[in-house]
Amino acid sequence: MSEAAVCVLCHRPIRSAAAAKRRIGSGCWRKLTPAQRATIRRNPRDIRAALNQPVPATDGQLPLDEQVINQ
């Protein structure tokens, strides 16, 4: 990384190359839902669209991928 990359969510410096590619730092990345992460992986420019996705109504535990597919 030639110039210091900054997270678009928290505006802190990004250290890893993978985080710089997606433009979101590791701390903010862990806070996103799996659907939001998938959207950003497909196209890092869709960060705002990914953040506008509704959060599933759960009791704090996200469903397993197999559960989501089978519904």
Side-chain angles (χ1 to χ4, degrees), residues 34 37-38 40 43 50:
R37 292 180 192 175
I40 294 171
N43 187 355

Side-chain angles (χ1 to χ4, degrees), residues 28-67:
C28 293
W29 185 252
R30 287 189 297 265
K31 296 176 186 176
L32 298 176
T33 65
Q36 290 172 324
R37 292 180 192 175
T39 300
I40 294 171
R41 279 189 196 109
R42 281 192 300 273
N43 187 355
R45 297 184 189 269
D46 287 343
I47 292 173
R48 291 294 159 208
L51 296 178
N52 290 332
Q53 289 181 353
V55 177
T58 63
D59 59 355
Q61 177 66 42
L62 293 174
L64 298 173
D65 289 336
E66 297 85 26
Q67 293 172 338

Side-chain angles (χ1 to χ4, degrees), residues 5-15 19 23-32 47-48 51:
V6 178
C7 176
V8 296
L9 300 177
C10 69
H11 306 291
R12 292 183 184 170
I14 294 176
R15 296 187 182 109
R23 300 176 9 197
I24 297 179
S26 299
C28 293
W29 185 252
R30 287 189 297 265
K31 296 176 186 176
L32 298 176
I47 292 173
R48 291 294 159 208
L51 296 178

